[in-house]
Each structure stands twice: as structure tokens, then as C-alpha cells.
Amino acid sequence: MESYIVTIIQTKKLTHDVIEIRTEKPAGYSFIPGQATEVAINKKGWEQKTRPFTFTCLPSDEYLEFIIKSYPSHEGVTKEMWNVQPGDSLIIGESWGAINYKGKGLFMAGGAGITPFISIFRQLAKDEQLDGNRLLFANKASEDIILEKELGSFLGNNIVHVLSNEMGGGYRSGFITESLIGEYATGTSDRFYVCGPPPMMDQILHHLQHLGFGQDAITVEI
């Protein structure tokens, strides 16, 4: 698989532990909204430590963008990503991934699992195709919500924030339950897009199965 060295052109802290990184885009490089690539830091000792990160920009943008949650306690790649600066460089591979838009439906994300959906929503907004799509977005607390304002501008009343460690403030408290999914699922023609921590995904897939939605209606990363 071919790899590319790309220079970082901009970094921005989005939350207390999430950073947005923009890089140069190699000539001819392409991806589909929802896809990811393997990324390493082009720095001695880190070149072989690749991690999968999702593109959050549009394929038509002249740069590549990644939104990355940092885990300082892991002493790993995401902690080091928190400290990169413009002028540093990353090593990226080819694009891959099973998540892509297959029609209007209910998106369900947990934490940084929102990242493949960001590029999809941005593309749908550009194409004026957002109508009919809904998002259930689970986080621990309001300070953890990534791009809350932008997602709200896309989806309006069709976005529900669910917080497990916080109550009030206009947010739902708890988790994405079978009852909540049933409230926002519109019918048998709906599609379901799921991305997040494995325990959350297992629970949601169980809920969908119990509600009678088949595997062919569900899109997850394989």
C-alpha cells in the first residue's frame, strides 16, 4: 500500500481532548465521505506507529482534515498528536472503510465515533440532501461534544444529544436505548449508521435487531 508524507498546515483544539488537524493533500488523493486511513507521525520513533483516523473534510477540499481524540493516559499516538504543530508532518496511507452514505436514515454515534459522519453530513449539506436524516449523539458530558454548533446547524431538531454523566441543559440523560431508537426510526425503509466504542455498538445492534431491523439496513465499520 502506498504511503504519503503530508505537512500539517493548521491545528485547532475543538474540546478539552479533541484536536482538528489539517494537512496538505497529495495530488490525486481521493476518498469517500466516511472513509479513513492509517496515520503515523513523521517523527523519529513514531513512523511505524500507525492508527486509523477518519477524514472529516470533503473530498473536494484542497486539504485533508482529521479530528482526533487524545488519550493522554495511553502514552501513545493520540497523546503525541495533541502536541503536533503546523510544519510537522504525518505519514498517511490509502483511504479505506466500509462506512459511506447509502440513503437517508438514523445515525448513531458515541464520542469520537462521530468523525466518519462529519464528512458525510458536510457533503450532504453541500449537496442540499440533509433532509430526512437524524442523529443520536452520545457523550459523557456536554464538554465532550464535538462540533455541537455545526452539527446543530445541519440537523436542527433532528439531532438528540444523550449524556451519560450529566443532566439538564436541554440534553437527554442516559444512553441510546431501544426506546429512543424506536422514537427516531421512521420505518422499514430507514437506514442505520452506527459508530462508537464497541460496547455501545454491540448494545445498539442488539436494540436494532430486537426492533426488527435487518443487517442489510445497518452500516458499521467492519
Side-chain angles (χ1 to χ4, degrees):
M1 179 178 291
E2 191 166 0
S3 64
Y4 308 84
I5 295 176
V6 292
T7 301
I8 295 171
I9 56 177
Q10 180 179 309
T11 64
K12 181 180 179 182
K13 305 289 174 56
L14 298 182
T15 75
H16 62 99
D17 61 1
V18 173
I19 187 171
E20 174 191 279
I21 299 173
R22 289 185 179 180
T23 76
E24 296 175 332
K25 183 178 181 180
Y29 194 89
S30 64
F31 66 93
I32 297 170
Q35 286 191 315
T37 188
E38 297 292 329
V39 181
I41 301 171
N42 189 28
K43 178 180 175 181
K44 187 176 181 180
W46 293 91
E47 302 98 322
Q48 303 302 318
K49 298 178 180 178
T50 63
R51 297 291 184 275
F53 295 116
T54 309
F55 301 102
T56 51
C57 53
L58 298 177
S60 58
D61 287 333
E62 295 181 350
Y63 54 84
L64 298 177
E65 181 186 282
F66 304 94
I67 292 178
I68 296 170
K69 182 173 182 176
S70 177
Y71 297 90
S73 62
H74 293 184
E75 299 291 339
V77 172
T78 64
K79 179 182 179 181
E80 199 67 17
M81 285 285 188
W82 187 255
N83 298 314
V84 298
Q85 300 291 328
D88 294 339
S89 57
L90 305 178
I91 304 168
I92 67 170
E94 301 286 0
S95 58
W96 55 265
I99 294 181
N100 58 82
Y101 188 66
K102 299 174 181 176
K104 68 178 181 180
L106 179 60
F107 292 74
M108 290 172 276
I114 190 66
T115 54
F117 302 156
I118 291 172
S119 182
I120 290 173
F121 288 139
R122 285 174 169 173
Q123 187 66 58
L124 291 175
K126 181 181 179 183
D127 297 339
E128 299 182 349
Q129 297 291 323
L130 275 167
D131 286 352
N133 289 291
R134 292 134 281 138
L135 170 65
L136 305 180
F137 190 12
N139 285 278
K140 291 181 179 177
S142 56
E143 66 174 2
D144 300 323
I145 301 173
I146 299 169
L147 298 180
E148 180 177 9
K149 186 175 181 180
E150 181 176 348
L151 292 171
S153 71
F154 288 158
L155 297 165
N157 293 328
N158 287 323
I159 179 171
V160 177
H161 293 285
V162 185
L163 305 180
S164 60
N165 294 351
E166 189 175 315
M167 298 181 68
Y171 305 106
R172 296 247 188 159
S173 180
F175 300 91
I176 297 177
T177 62
E178 182 175 318
S179 174
L180 184 60
I181 294 171
E183 186 178 340
Y184 282 87
T186 59
T188 54
S189 62
D190 232 357
R191 296 208 59 85
F192 300 92
Y193 303 85
V194 187
C195 190
M200 187 207 85
M201 291 183 61
D202 290 345
Q203 195 65 45
I204 288 176
L205 293 176
H206 173 77
H207 293 329
L208 289 171
Q209 183 180 29
H210 197 247
L211 287 166
F213 296 107
Q215 190 63 40
D216 58 348
I218 302 169
T219 297
V220 298
E221 193 57 72
I222 300 173

